[in-house]
Amino acid sequence: MRALLEFLANSQRSFIHFVRIGIFIVMAWIGGLKAFQYEADGIVPFVTNSPFMSFFYHNSGKMAVNDEGKEVPEYTLHKNPEGKMVQKNIDWHQENGTYPFSYGLGTVICIIGLLTLLGIWYPKIGLWGGLLTFGMSIVTLSFLITTPEVYVPNLGGDLPTPRFGFPYLSGAGRLVLKDIIMMGGGLVAAGDCARRLLNK
């Protein structure tokens, strides 16, 4: 047991580098997927409901009438389920500016991941990467307040829906909540870079 404790204690620097590598993998993978239609479509509920980002879309705030005669946010009528291509929905997203925004966001995410990874060798660069990871996580976690889709909806059915709304996270909400870990990882990476810079 003592050998394990000593190994863990003496490997802290390597573990911090592993955090950086993990942040880079997540950022590069998710950022890279923003170049694809299904991922760009999938972030629309987050972006259009965000007070920080909704202005990037042309149709944010627009309402429309659904098949049941209810007035709903227009974007809800143009969702493409992952793996399904519907041309009229793609046309709407093109007019909305969904795809150019997604390309730009993906590029920013990849750059933040790369800056964080470079902190292994360059603490000044890594400091910015860690701080930007922290800041990006704050924006992502704000979706828990602004995006209705992060909670289980009450869709009805044969039986009453027993649990919906806050605090019952949907798949999208569970994905967003994990950014708390990214937030902590960004601070750990930034703190390590700051310590190395001070030691110089």
Side-chain angles (χ1 to χ4, degrees):
M1 184 60 158
R2 181 174 181 82
L4 175 62
L5 294 175
E6 288 179 353
F7 167 76
L8 293 172
N10 294 330
S11 301
Q12 187 176 19
R13 171 62 63 82
S14 297
F15 295 155
I16 293 173
H17 290 337
F18 183 71
V19 168
R20 291 187 174 99
I21 293 167
I23 289 172
F24 171 74
I25 290 171
V26 170
M27 298 283 211
W29 199 334
I30 291 178
L33 287 176
K34 295 290 184 286
F36 297 92
Q37 169 264 324
Y38 85 95
E39 174 68 11
D41 292 356
I43 64 171
V44 168
F46 300 115
V47 177
T48 200
N49 287 297
S50 170
F52 305 112
M53 293 186 286
S54 60
F55 63 90
F56 285 108
Y57 286 164
H58 304 304
N59 296 327
S60 291
K62 289 186 179 179
M63 303 297 284
V65 178
N66 66 12
D67 294 338
E68 299 171 359
K70 294 179 182 176
E71 190 176 45
V72 295
E74 189 175 64
Y75 75 90
T76 62
L77 304 180
H78 299 283
K79 292 181 178 180
N80 278 325
E82 291 184 5
K84 186 173 185 180
M85 303 282 283
V86 179
Q87 186 61 54
K88 72 177 181 68
N89 292 341
I90 292 172
D91 293 342
W92 183 90
H93 285 291
Q94 288 173 337
E95 190 275 325
N96 184 46
T98 297
Y99 303 122
F101 172 76
S102 187
Y103 303 152
L105 179 63
T107 301
V108 169
I109 292 171
C110 287
I111 290 171
I112 292 173
L114 182 60
L115 293 176
T116 304
L117 178 68
L118 289 173
I120 294 174
W121 304 281
Y122 306 104
K124 285 184 181 178
I125 296 173
L127 176 68
W128 285 108
L131 292 175
L132 288 169
T133 298
F134 173 77
M136 192 187 80
S137 298
I138 291 175
V139 174
T140 303
L141 288 167
S142 74
F143 298 152
L144 292 172
I145 299 169
T146 61
T147 309
E149 283 85 351
V150 299
Y151 298 105
V152 174
N154 184 0
L155 298 179
D158 294 338
L159 299 170
T161 302
R163 293 175 181 84
F164 59 90
F166 180 85
Y168 304 107
L169 293 169
S170 66
R174 295 192 294 273
L175 182 66
V176 167
L177 187 64
K178 291 178 182 177
D179 254 51
I180 290 177
I181 300 169
M182 291 289 282
M183 179 184 283
L187 286 178
V188 167
D192 177 67
C193 287
R195 182 185 55 78
R196 288 156 58 197
L197 289 169
L198 288 172
N199 286 343
K200 285 185 177 181

